[in-house]
Amino acid sequence: MKLEFKHLLPESFSPSSRVWIYQSSRIFSMSEALEIEIGLRDFSAQWRSHGSELEAYANLFFGQFVVLMADETKAGVSGCSTDASVHLIKKMEQQFQVDFFDRNTLAFVVKDKVQLLPLPQLAYAFKNSFIREDTLYFNNLVATKNDLENRWIIPVRDSWLSSRLPLKTNGL
């Protein structure tokens, strides 16, 4: 699985641009992905904050992650514009029968594919070597473009999950 995505991000956006990542409960088919990408492009072109156009970007990555980004150096994201983005995601949930708001399902790269794992099964998966400390994890909590570029896809040992597992690097 090729994990290259940085070249798709707008170079002109500030490293402090705000980012929201929505992980789908399943990978999308090719036709669904194309439809989603068109909808995201249309949304980002029309996204507004208090009537001001937002410098926005939206895309679907790896067929499963919707990434929204707003460069607030020109106009800040307001509560209403945030609500508009959540409304878009909820509409996509209904249209494609997926869940974008399940924060208890984690995504990893296992056997060259995105694999989802419920948080309560993390310790079991680690104990049985399905997940290891060098397994790549999608840290969907990143909040800026800089973090997206450098801290989104990281080894488990470098993520917040490391405190929940008996990693060798933790000295346990």
Side-chain angles (χ1 to χ4, degrees):
M1 173 177 197
K2 291 185 180 182
L3 296 173
E4 299 158 7
F5 67 93
K6 296 176 189 176
H7 66 284
L8 299 172
L9 301 176
E11 290 182 25
S12 63
F13 278 40
S14 164
S16 64
S17 296
R18 285 184 58 190
V19 167
W20 297 265
I21 300 175
Y22 296 92
Q23 173 183 298
S24 171
S25 54
R26 67 172 173 82
I27 195 163
F28 293 104
S29 70
M30 184 65 75
S31 62
E32 288 173 328
L34 291 171
E35 191 173 342
I36 288 167
E37 287 178 350
I38 291 168
L40 291 173
R41 193 169 24 254
D42 291 347
F43 174 79
S44 63
Q46 299 169 14
W47 201 9
R48 301 259 186 276
S49 178
H50 296 297
S52 298
E53 185 177 322
L54 286 172
E55 189 74 25
Y57 169 82
N59 207 342
L60 179 67
F61 288 97
F62 310 115
Q64 196 155 1
F65 302 90
V66 170
V67 174
L68 303 178
M69 185 184 308
D71 187 343
E72 294 187 295
T73 58
K74 296 173 179 78
V77 176
S78 67
C80 292
S81 53
T82 301
D83 289 348
S85 68
V86 171
H87 178 73
L88 167 76
I89 299 300
K90 286 185 177 284
K91 181 179 171 188
M92 288 173 26
E93 269 188 328
Q94 292 175 348
Q95 181 178 355
F96 297 103
Q97 298 295 298
V98 297
D99 187 348
F100 279 113
F101 293 95
D102 179 1
R103 301 297 185 219
N104 285 313
T105 300
L106 310 172
F108 300 89
V109 178
V110 177
K111 295 184 180 179
D112 218 27
K113 290 184 178 180
V114 174
Q115 299 287 335
L116 301 180
L117 179 71
L119 181 59
Q121 294 180 9
L122 179 65
Y124 176 85
F126 188 78
K127 179 181 178 187
N128 291 285
S129 299
F130 298 118
I131 302 295
R132 298 187 310 255
E133 57 186 84
D134 62 341
T135 300
L136 294 177
Y137 164 65
F138 288 87
N139 178 23
N140 296 326
L141 301 175
V142 298
T144 66
K145 179 186 178 198
N146 183 61
D147 286 345
L148 178 67
E149 291 174 330
N150 299 298
R151 305 254 329 127
W152 182 32
I153 305 171
I154 57 176
V156 167
R157 73 174 156 271
D158 297 336
S159 76
W160 66 272
L161 297 174
S162 66
S163 65
R164 295 175 159 251
L165 298 169
L167 303 181
K168 294 175 195 159
T169 53
N170 285 352
L172 299 176

